[in-house]
Amino acid sequence: MSRIRIVEILRRETSPGCLTVRGWVRTKRDAKAFSFLELNDGSCLGNLQVVADATLPGYEEAVVPARTGASIEVEGEVVASQGQGQRWELRASRVTLVGTAPEDYPLQKKGHTMEFMRSIAHLRPRSNLFGAVFRIRSRMAYAIHQFFQERGFVYVHTPIITASDCEGAGEMFRVVTMEGEKIRSGTEEFFGKPTYLTVSGQLEGETFACALSNIYTFGPTFRAENSHTSRHAAEFWMIEPEIAFCDLEGDMALAEGMVKYLVNDALLNCAEDLDFCNRHVDKGLIERLEFVRDRVFERVSYTDAVNLLLASGQNFEYPVEYGQPLQSEHERFLTEHHFRCPTTVYNYPKEIKPFYMRRNDDGKTVAAMDLLVPGIGEIVGGSQREERLEVLLANLREQGLEASAYDWYVDLRRYGTVPHAGFGLGFERLLMFITGVANIRDVIPFPRTPGSAEF
Ligand code: 4AD
Ligand code: MG
């Protein structure tokens, strides 16, 4: 008898016959002569209805105590269902109780808040919503590799422990060594210098792009920013492509193309889970995703965006001013009200951007770009990199950074320098956009945010 995932049964046109399934009981209903168990194994949203006859051998020991949350193994025959709502059901010939669950199993049928679900993060993937979100997360990770591999990009594993602050914002976690319970003094001796958890693999990624031409990274990144927003996590995953012989235009085109590719992939391969999100999380979700798939994105320079915001007559909490970063309310106004479309803002004032961005000929701006989407704001941040040695050294000086700390990075400009560009796509921000889930904590299996590192 073959073992099979429930998704394969539910999608069958003809009955697969006799087989064994394993999973967790979502609900059980007892009639006089039968029990109906809704069985889910996480392979898809749908449950397989198991019909267990009260005359089954072992019914008392296995079926009666198989409450919501219990794990069971069922052998039986897949037959056309007489009930409404499903094509197939499993007529059990044997039920084995693998693990019991108590009456107060925390995940009851309906009506749990997202906050409560976070407090049971070890059980929440068993719910419809979180099952759907994490299947989509897995598919999107796969599609990201597929997108780059199809285009000949090389996947580079950049280090998690690093000695340089890529973004220059100082929002880093320090790496220390322990002596029992205590931090060992002189701890930097382990590496010979202070080290941190990486905020970005970009600088290391650039070295590989300047050898292998097209590369990408995809891994965890860490930011010690004390931001209590629905879009910031202390640990998140980032995808960072870096392309040699590429300018800002090519960089923006890649970012836009990638977002469209991923949206299209989700629509094709996560239809059932997206439909669930559309019904239970965000009613306009699928319509918005189809729009994003089909529509050419907008682009606007930072200067034009500022003028447009100033002319909007909107009463923003943070005043709009040339030379200041765009706040999330400004970004959302642009994508949700003005353009009503994903929008790339480019050429930002040099003062508000890191040292590595390429200085534009106007002397005031750098070749930076942020891709903004409705509902979230920034999901991509990127730039063309400063490939001119003298300009890069001047940038480091201007920003008060020690050029010697970036020796190896500066060397790339000494040995066969090339124009190059790249960006970082926040994986969780992308998932929020694709699922409609409003809080970043709810697209991360075990979220880490200020004050919270449970599980
Ligand atoms: O704009 P950021 O800071 O850019 C960089 O790190 C560059 N080194 C990327 C590059 O050019 N290779 O971050 C990139 C993206 C943001 O657009 C956002 O989507 C995400 O990373 N991000 C966060 N996501 C969740 N929580 C946080 N605290 C995030 N900070 C940035
Ligand atoms: Mg950014």
Side-chain angles (χ1 to χ4, degrees), residues 332-378:
R332 294 187 58 172
F333 177 83
L334 293 173
T335 52
E336 287 163 35
H337 300 285
H338 187 81
F339 293 113
R340 297 172 177 273
C341 174
T343 302
T344 307
V345 182
Y346 59 91
N347 290 350
Y348 284 73
K350 65 177 181 355
E351 290 77 13
I352 56 171
K353 290 292 182 186
F355 70 94
Y356 56 71
M357 294 191 177
R358 191 180 196 278
R359 184 76 53 97
N360 285 323
D361 291 343
D362 62 13
K364 285 167 51 182
T365 61
V366 288
M369 62 100 169
D370 279 0
L371 174 51
L372 318 176
V373 296
I376 297 168
E378 176 190 343

Side-chain angles (χ1 to χ4, degrees), residues 71-301:
S71 49
I72 60 171
E73 177 180 286
V74 187
E75 225 174 84
E77 187 180 3
V78 175
V79 298
S81 177
Q82 281 140 40
Q84 296 260 301
Q86 66 269 324
R87 183 192 290 165
W88 304 116
E89 63 188 28
L90 185 65
R91 290 261 155 193
S93 55
R94 184 183 61 81
V95 177
T96 309
L97 183 60
V98 178
T100 58
E103 210 131 7
D104 61 353
Y105 177 63
L107 199 62
Q108 293 301 326
K109 207 173 169 201
K110 270 200 182 86
H112 296 311
T113 63
M114 299 295 255
E115 288 74 17
F116 174 72
M117 295 300 272
R118 275 174 225 147
S119 76
I120 54 163
H122 55 312
L123 296 174
R124 67 180 184 166
R126 294 192 194 179
S127 68
N128 283 335
L129 174 62
F130 289 95
V133 165
F134 293 122
R135 277 187 299 272
I136 294 171
R137 184 174 171 122
S138 166
R139 175 70 212 188
M140 288 298 95
Y142 178 79
I144 283 161
H145 284 296
Q146 189 167 280
F147 175 83
F148 286 116
Q149 297 286 338
E150 281 172 1
R151 287 159 181 74
F153 283 62
V154 177
Y155 180 29
V156 178
H157 299 99
T158 50
I160 288 173
I161 299 177
T162 159
S164 55
D165 177 5
C166 171
E167 294 307 295
E171 293 164 329
M172 297 186 295
F173 292 100
R174 179 80 178 265
V175 174
V176 299
T177 53
M178 304 296 291
E179 198 158 357
E181 296 278 282
K182 284 213 209 83
I183 295 175
R184 181 172 287 149
S185 58
T187 190
E188 56 274 4
E189 278 158 24
F190 189 90
F191 292 110
K193 55 168 74 158
T195 51
Y196 312 92
L197 297 181
T198 184
V199 297
S200 160
Q202 177 197 322
L203 302 188
E204 290 92 350
E206 280 186 51
T207 70
F208 270 66
C210 292
L212 304 177
S213 293
N214 293 355
I215 66 98
Y216 68 106
T217 73
F218 185 4
T221 41
F222 306 86
R223 303 233 172 143
E225 39 188 350
N226 199 16
S227 305
H228 296 259
T229 80
S230 58
R231 294 164 296 105
H232 287 88
E235 175 177 329
F236 62 99
W237 281 56
M238 191 157 47
I239 300 98
E240 296 185 277
E242 192 72 33
I243 319 126
F245 306 100
C246 180
D247 60 10
L248 187 68
E249 168 66 35
D251 199 35
M252 292 194 286
L254 184 73
E256 293 162 346
M258 179 176 183
V259 170
K260 280 175 171 290
Y261 179 97
L262 296 175
V263 165
N264 183 49
D265 188 277
L267 285 166
L268 285 176
N269 296 299
C270 307
E272 188 184 65
D273 289 329
L274 281 184
D275 178 62
F276 183 85
C277 293
N278 192 61
R279 280 182 287 124
H280 296 280
V281 180
D282 175 354
K283 298 266 187 280
L285 178 67
I286 296 208
E287 199 182 326
R288 194 172 69 240
L289 293 177
E290 288 172 346
F291 174 86
V292 168
R293 178 193 59 194
D294 299 335
R295 169 76 193 267
V296 177
F297 294 0
E298 296 283 345
R299 289 183 189 174
V300 63
S301 71

